[in-house]
């Protein structure tokens, strides 16, 4: 039976339009999805938008639209930009989809029926930016550290609470013990440690309903309340498998991807809700760090937000994917910016890969080299493609930039090989034979085809072009893959 692989991105809030942060996680997830497809697995790649809650309702009112009209508009901007970046999601979920609402509501009702939910009074601070309650110790100088320009609101209201505190030991065991039936992995290791140590300090029950938020899913047992937006948002991963045709067996997810801002929701609250509802937990949660723009946090007020459209216009889809993956903020924040991207584009793509492809093409053309079609299957197999083997070991740990470094070492290696052999200086017929060996018989074209296939998950269009160009019988001349900018 074909192995299944279910991968997700967070569902993004519609109070913001797509930016480079969303692009970072979505491109990373697409690279991983494509890689698992290339390994022959049956992949389900889910992304989407998170559309309920006060924050969205307020933004809609400010834009003079109903919440639904507003969500339709912004959600479209996410849904439509991803394919332009060669992102092939299988399904785009919206939490305003009635099918999601129905299933999410049934799961929450189950938690209520099983006695995990009780009524209480909440009093404390609320950050609208995060859509979450904050403890005194979460505040820095009285502000949310992630939204220092938004004043936390003091709230007192009747809420329903979920008994998160009773899951503390269950979760510690599930994370630490690989033989636990609810075992899940948190990656990288540093994040696992962070979660475990916070869990050991103890956890409080959490409020899971709102009395004064009308833009949401009503609590099925008490329609005066709506389900807390985060609870139903997390449930999207499960509900999609239940209503998208043919995907029921994809639950539990193999991999949730996201950045560190939403670590706790995804590694503690989510699993507790699932265990309480008798549902299997996801297998792995991978958490990356943040992009900083020219050393600063990205923010609308600083005007330093980079949009995927900007990247696309300047660099094109595949080069954008390369620039994102090669600067991927694995376990440390990564400092990026348009200037840095342009330098990297010129060094690695225009002068690096693009130049190498142009060079080999020219050598073949100048010498009128023809060759029998190459059987591509050897390059398309992890058993025989050495570069792919090295890429594989990094991708299994989600080290995207290291995986690309391996490919670029091969590109540089081939460049130096051609420099050393100096095939353009060979003229006699004997020499021509040698040239034949250098260019197509052994290293050059074969390496290029190995490189192309290993590159396919990262830069699918480029990989296809290189394969087509060099798989014979005749070299296809092409315009420059990456013109200098
Ligand atoms: N709606 C919630 C997620 C619910 S999932 C059940 C949410 N949405 S969000 O629009 O704020 O997206 C947060 C995610 O966007 C991060 O976890 C990360 O994937 C991505 N990024 C946003 N800013 C980022 C950076 N500056 N750098 C890298 N990725 C970041 O939270």
């Amino acid at each position: 039976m074909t192995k299944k692989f279910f991968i997700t991105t967070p569902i993004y809030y519609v109070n913001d339009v797509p930016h480079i942060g969303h692009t970072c996680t979505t491109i990373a997830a697409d690279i991983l999805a494509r890689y698992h497809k290339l390994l022959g697995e049956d992949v389900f790649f889910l992304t989407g938008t998170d559309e309920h809650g006060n924050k969205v309702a307020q933004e809609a009112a400010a834009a003079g639209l109903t919440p639904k009209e507003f969500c339709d508009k912004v959600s479209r901007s996410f849904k439509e930009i991803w394919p332009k970046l060669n992102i092939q999601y299988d399904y785009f979920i919206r939490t305003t989809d009635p099918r999601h609402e129905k299933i999410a509501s049934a799961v929450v009702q189950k938690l209520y029926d099983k006695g995990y939910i009780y009524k209480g009074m909440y009093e404390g601070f609320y950050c609208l930016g995060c859509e979450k309650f904050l403890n005194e110790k979460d505040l820095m100088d009285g502000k949310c550290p992630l939204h220092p320009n938004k004043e936390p609101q003091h709230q007192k209201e009747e809420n329903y609470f979920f008994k998160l505190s009773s899951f503390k030991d269950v979760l510690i065991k599930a994370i630490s013990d690989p033989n636990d039936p609810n075992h899940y992995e948190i990656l990288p290791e540093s994040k696992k440690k962070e979660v475990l140590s916070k869990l050991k300090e103890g956890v409080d029950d959490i409020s899971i309903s709102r009395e004064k938020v009308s833009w949401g899913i009503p609590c099925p047992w008490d329609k005066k309340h709506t389900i807390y937006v985060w609870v139903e948002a997390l449930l999207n991963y499960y509900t999609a498998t239940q209503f998208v045709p043919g995907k029921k067996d994809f639950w539990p997810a193999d991999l949730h991807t996201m950045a560190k801002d939403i670590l706790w929701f995804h590694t503690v609250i989510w699993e507790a809700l699932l265990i309480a509802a008798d549902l299997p937990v996801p297998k792995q949660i991978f958490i990356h760090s943040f992009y900083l723009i020219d050393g600063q946090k990205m923010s609308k007020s600083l005007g330093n937000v980079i949009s995927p459209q900007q990247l696309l216009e300047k660099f094109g889809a595949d080069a954008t994917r390369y620039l994102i993956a090669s600067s991927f903020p694995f376990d440390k924040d990564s400092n990026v910016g348009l200037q840095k991207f342009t330098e990297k584009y010129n060094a690695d793509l225009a002068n690096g890969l693009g130049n190498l492809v142009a060079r080999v093409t020219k050598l073949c053309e100048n010498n009128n080299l023809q060759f029998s079609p190459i059987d591509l299957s050897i390059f398309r197999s992890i058993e025989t493609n050495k570069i792919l083997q090295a890429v594989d070991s990094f991708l299994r740990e989600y080290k995207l930039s290291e995986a690309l470094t391996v490919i670029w070492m091969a590109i540089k290696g081939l460049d130096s090989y051609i420099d050393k052999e100096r095939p353009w200086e060979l003229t006699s017929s004997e020499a021509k034979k040698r040239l034949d060996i250098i260019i197509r018989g052994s290293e050059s074209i074969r390496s290029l085809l190995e490189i192309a296939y290993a590159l396919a998950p990262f830069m699918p269009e480029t990989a296809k072009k290189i394969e087509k160009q060099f798989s014979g019988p005749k070299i296809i001349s092409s315009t420059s893959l990456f013109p200098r900018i």
Side-chain angles (χ1 to χ4, degrees):
M1 219 179 71
T2 316
K3 191 167 177 285
K4 291 189 163 41
F5 185 73
F6 176 26
I7 178 169
T8 70
T9 71
I11 46 170
Y12 303 113
Y13 286 132
V14 287
N15 68 309
D16 208 352
V17 289
H19 59 61
I20 190 173
H22 311 122
T23 312
C24 169
T25 314
T26 316
I27 287 183
D30 184 69
I31 290 170
L32 296 167
R34 282 175 182 269
Y35 186 64
H36 282 265
K37 275 187 203 154
L38 181 147
L39 294 177
E41 295 172 17
D42 186 5
V43 174
F44 179 34
F45 172 18
L46 179 73
T47 188
T49 40
D50 186 355
E51 307 188 2
H52 287 129
N54 254 0
K55 185 159 64 170
V56 173
Q58 287 183 6
E59 292 274 336
L65 297 171
T66 64
K68 184 65 171 70
E69 285 166 346
F70 180 77
C71 291
D72 288 349
K73 186 169 160 244
V74 186
S75 180
R76 204 177 312 121
S77 67
F78 278 93
K79 192 170 180 176
E80 289 176 358
I81 191 69
W82 300 143
K84 295 189 180 139
L85 288 159
N86 292 333
I87 289 163
Q88 286 180 333
Y89 54 77
D90 294 299
Y91 194 77
F92 189 97
I93 189 169
R94 299 183 55 190
T95 52
T96 47
D97 185 322
R99 295 169 301 174
H100 162 79
E101 294 180 344
K102 191 167 163 226
I103 301 166
S105 172
V107 175
V108 178
Q109 176 72 52
K110 186 169 179 191
L111 297 177
Y112 184 75
D113 294 342
K114 290 187 75 189
Y116 287 118
I117 291 175
Y118 63 93
K119 206 179 208 176
M121 193 56 110
Y122 183 84
E123 182 167 4
F125 288 101
Y126 191 78
C127 171
L128 195 60
C130 296
E131 287 281 13
K132 77 173 188 190
F133 286 116
L134 301 172
N135 294 325
E136 289 287 344
K137 63 174 191 269
D138 295 328
L139 301 174
M140 259 167 59
D141 301 328
K143 303 275 173 62
C144 163
L146 288 176
H147 300 94
N149 50 357
K150 283 197 173 84
E151 200 61 47
Q153 302 159 352
H154 190 263
Q155 285 192 0
K156 185 175 179 184
E157 63 170 38
E158 200 173 63
N159 282 178
Y160 285 96
F161 285 81
F162 170 65
K163 292 183 181 167
L164 182 65
S165 58
S166 52
F167 287 87
K168 178 186 152 195
D169 295 332
V170 174
L171 294 176
I172 293 175
K173 183 156 182 303
I175 297 168
S176 323
D177 177 3
N179 297 317
D180 188 274
N182 289 315
H183 178 59
Y184 56 101
E185 273 185 273
I186 303 174
L187 296 159
E189 187 67 22
S190 57
K191 293 288 181 287
K192 174 180 163 181
K193 283 197 181 129
E194 187 182 322
V195 172
L196 278 174
S197 85
K198 206 167 155 203
L199 263 175
K200 284 173 189 162
E201 282 170 22
V203 282
D204 296 329
D205 292 346
I206 54 160
S207 151
I208 57 129
S209 78
R210 294 290 177 274
E211 214 184 352
K212 297 181 187 117
V213 177
S214 55
W215 181 237
I217 306 176
C219 284
W221 64 90
D222 182 350
K223 300 262 161 48
K224 288 198 303 298
H225 288 251
T226 50
I227 302 173
Y228 175 32
V229 63
W230 256 106
V231 170
E232 59 119 336
L234 286 164
L235 279 164
N236 92 86
Y237 303 129
Y238 170 71
T239 64
T241 62
Q242 302 307 293
F243 72 74
V244 177
K247 303 295 179 199
K248 276 212 165 67
D249 295 347
F250 279 84
W251 190 258
D254 293 275
L255 179 63
H256 291 317
T257 62
M258 76 216 58
K260 59 188 178 181
D261 51 341
I262 50 179
L263 164 82
W264 189 251
F265 282 109
H266 281 84
T267 55
V268 172
I269 298 176
W270 180 217
E271 287 72 13
L273 291 168
L274 287 167
I275 296 170
D278 298 323
L279 289 168
V281 297
K283 294 178 192 154
Q284 281 192 336
I285 299 96
F286 168 62
I287 301 108
H288 61 79
S289 292
F290 277 154
Y291 268 156
L292 300 179
I293 311 294
D294 300 314
Q296 284 181 302
K297 203 168 170 272
M298 195 169 22
S299 94
K300 272 190 216 163
S301 51
L302 286 173
N304 63 353
V305 180
I306 300 178
S307 72
Q309 285 87 348
Q310 267 173 293
L311 296 172
L312 208 49
E313 274 162 31
K314 193 162 169 121
F315 304 109
D318 268 18
T320 298
R321 295 170 66 96
Y322 174 77
L323 296 170
I324 295 279
S326 60
S327 60
F328 189 67
F330 179 73
D331 56 357
K332 280 204 295 287
D333 289 348
S334 176
N335 195 19
V336 295
L338 286 177
Q339 179 62 30
K340 272 192 152 192
F341 280 150
T342 308
E343 284 160 18
K344 185 105 179 118
Y345 170 96
N346 283 328
D348 296 358
L349 297 176
N351 298 347
L353 179 61
N355 187 43
L356 174 66
V357 169
R359 222 174 161 194
V360 178
T361 304
K362 212 164 187 62
L363 280 166
C364 294
E365 278 176 344
N366 288 353
N367 296 287
N368 204 18
L369 285 187
Q370 301 222 353
F371 44 93
S372 48
I374 294 182
D375 173 12
L376 289 174
S377 61
I378 33 167
F379 308 107
R380 288 181 172 170
S381 150
I382 190 151
E383 276 79 44
T384 43
N385 184 329
K386 292 270 179 313
I387 303 175
L388 201 56
Q389 287 166 14
V391 164
D392 179 78
S393 61
F394 285 120
L395 281 189
R396 284 186 190 278
E397 294 181 49
Y398 312 121
K399 294 187 169 159
L400 302 183
S401 62
E402 283 84 344
L404 280 174
T405 306
V406 167
I407 302 178
W408 254 258
M409 269 159 59
I411 291 172
K412 285 187 188 129
L414 181 51
D415 244 339
S416 330
Y417 169 77
I418 296 175
D419 284 345
K420 192 173 113 244
E421 294 290 333
R422 307 180 74 75
W424 53 88
E425 288 176 355
L426 304 171
T427 45
S428 69
S429 70
E430 195 37 45
K432 215 155 178 205
K433 246 198 232 150
R434 170 100 194 100
L435 181 78
D436 197 53
I437 291 168
I438 296 169
I439 299 302
R440 64 138 198 178
S442 57
E443 326 307 308
S444 309
I445 286 180
R446 285 177 185 273
S447 301
L448 264 176
L449 291 171
E450 266 195 359
I451 289 168
Y453 199 59
L455 199 59
F458 300 88
M459 304 176 80
E461 254 173 60
T462 309
K464 243 188 251 149
K465 279 187 197 156
I466 300 176
E467 271 201 351
K468 198 162 162 226
Q469 181 141 345
F470 296 115
S471 50
K474 206 168 171 8
I475 293 288
I476 304 164
S477 265
S478 68
T479 48
S480 169
L481 281 181
F482 303 103
R484 267 190 81 84
I485 47 177

